[in-house]
Amino acid sequence: MSMLGQLAAPLLIAAICLAALPRGTDVYDAMLAGAKKGLRTMADILPALLVLLPAIALFRASGLPTLLGRLLDPLLQRLGIPGETALLLLLRPLSGSAALSEVSALMAAYGADSLVGRTAAVMLGASETTFYVVAVYFSAAGVERSRWAVPAALCADLACFVSAAWVSRWLWG
Amino acid sequence: MLSYIVISLYIFSVLFAAATGQGTAAGAAVMTGAEEAVQLTLRLTGAVCLWSAVMEVLERCGGAALLSRALAPLLGRLFPRAAVDEETMAALSENVSANLLGLGNAATPAGIRAAKGLRRLNDGDGLGLLVVLNTASIQLLPTMAASLRAAYGAAAPFDITPAVWISSVCSVAAGLVAAALLRRVWR
């Protein structure tokens, strides 16, 4: 079983390639095109990271996260969320690159396999940049009043953060 | 919006660092932060490109279309007013299946087509629901989070996957419940 878990990624790739075979898909060509799209994504992310990571590194070095954690701690503790992720909770709905920067800073500080590192990764993987999504879809539809969409989406975010913290503590705490 | 985040991060950090005498550490952090941004991008690029390549194969061999057809009945129930319009429903299921597979490049254009279709049908509640579904983001493989874990030396980068699923399902459920309650009181 653990062997299966360790091989999950290559197995999945093999299975997808196998599924593509009878359909006559040019696997190599598709992978090249996909890899190019990945490069494009990273090229788009780099400038944002270059602007945001120094700001977040400065913020971390200033000692403010401790203060922020202490301020939000009574609320976060009641929700079962680790205080170290306070800044991530605030940045996640606003900017994907800022959240990515903050998660990488948390992993650098606490380790990728620490509870904080894992909780942050689950939060990042299970949520989206809420305000960006709202802006893109409502402006595409030409609708100005988003009505209940933002509060409902923020409820979804809150549920995501709380459940990410609970599940992570349950699995790895 | 992002300008305000960057500006407030700088102003508050500089003031706080000066007040608490953390000037040296804070001064060094800005420079190392820029260097870290480049290193992080380089370390993430390999894994991100690999998964992007694999997902492209899945999309080209019809995996995304298959998933999209499987989702259609469920989405018809969530969007009753749009169910009559085939084009909008096709865009909706394409958007949700692309999100599931983590194909961000394909999800947004499909979502925009769906949003325009919902607008044409004058389905304001449907548009709100589309946004909630997209912000809650269910992803079968959390490739970005796992790539980040791999970059920081995690033993098994993808072992967070079940936790991401549980958390995503909670998030979608909370979003749908909140939408169902709020649309009644919000006119």
Side-chain angles (χ1 to χ4, degrees):
Chain A
M1 194 62 210
S2 76
M3 179 81 170
L4 209 66
Q6 283 156 11
L7 280 175
L11 261 179
L12 184 72
I13 300 176
I16 290 172
C17 291
L18 207 63
L21 209 59
R23 288 175 184 83
T25 312
D26 188 338
V27 172
Y28 182 70
D29 193 55
M31 288 187 101
L32 274 188
K36 262 185 211 161
K37 281 186 191 171
L39 279 180
R40 183 83 248 163
T41 309
M42 293 317 291
D44 289 340
I45 287 180
L46 177 59
L49 289 183
L50 269 171
V51 173
L52 291 164
L53 250 173
I56 285 175
L58 170 69
F59 180 82
R60 300 207 77 82
S62 74
L64 262 174
T66 330
L67 183 70
L68 184 71
R70 212 175 299 156
L71 276 178
L72 291 176
D73 206 45
L75 177 68
L76 293 182
Q77 200 137 55
R78 201 159 296 173
L79 295 171
I81 297 175
E84 293 88 341
T85 58
L87 181 62
L88 177 61
L89 305 183
L90 299 178
L91 291 176
R92 185 70 190 102
L94 300 170
S95 158
S97 306
L100 189 66
S101 308
E102 173 61 8
V103 174
S104 84
L106 284 173
M107 283 185 186
Y110 297 94
D113 282 333
S114 66
L115 183 58
V116 171
R118 284 175 184 276
T119 307
V122 175
M123 285 173 173
L124 183 72
S127 58
E128 253 297 335
T129 316
T130 302
F131 287 99
Y132 170 77
V133 173
V134 171
V136 166
Y137 288 142
F138 276 96
S139 66
V143 175
E144 265 171 36
R145 288 176 57 237
S146 64
R147 294 162 60 226
W148 46 266
V150 172
L154 289 177
C155 281
D157 283 342
L158 183 67
C160 165
F161 298 146
V162 172
S163 58
W166 287 11
V167 173
S168 301
R169 205 173 25 184
W170 172 53
L171 287 174
W172 304 293
Chain B
M1 185 73 223
L2 279 170
S3 301
Y4 293 115
I5 299 179
V6 173
I7 293 168
S8 43
L9 278 174
Y10 271 105
I11 291 179
F12 286 120
S13 308
V14 168
L15 288 179
F16 195 78
T20 56
Q22 312 254 19
T24 327
V30 184
M31 302 301 287
T32 50
E35 194 198 326
E36 261 170 50
V38 178
Q39 281 179 358
L40 175 64
T41 309
L42 282 178
R43 277 193 286 179
L44 276 177
T45 300
V48 166
C49 288
L50 173 68
W51 288 105
S52 174
V54 173
M55 289 305 166
E56 183 75 23
V57 176
L58 193 61
E59 194 185 2
R60 285 202 189 173
C61 76
L66 196 75
L67 188 60
S68 162
R69 269 200 302 280
L71 286 170
L74 181 70
L75 287 172
R77 214 168 299 166
L78 273 177
F79 294 85
R81 282 181 63 186
V84 287
D85 188 76
E86 231 171 83
E87 205 185 314
T88 306
M89 282 320 284
L92 268 174
S93 31
E94 197 182 319
N95 168 255
V96 175
S97 63
N99 272 327
L100 277 170
L101 297 176
L103 301 163
N105 296 319
T108 312
I112 287 174
R113 265 188 289 127
K116 286 187 172 148
L118 291 168
R119 167 74 180 147
R120 203 177 52 241
L121 296 166
N122 214 2
D123 186 359
D125 285 347
L127 186 59
L129 214 51
L130 171 72
V131 166
V132 169
L133 281 184
N134 273 278
T135 58
S137 136
I138 302 191
Q139 209 174 325
L140 293 179
L141 277 180
T143 48
M144 189 56 101
S147 305
L148 203 55
R149 275 171 55 66
Y152 282 97
F158 273 106
D159 71 356
I160 52 159
T161 306
V164 171
W165 289 340
I166 297 174
S167 182
S168 300
V169 168
C170 290
S171 162
V172 171
L176 291 179
V177 169
L181 292 175
L182 287 171
R183 69 205 275 182
R184 269 183 215 144
V185 287
W186 212 299
R187 278 294 143 205

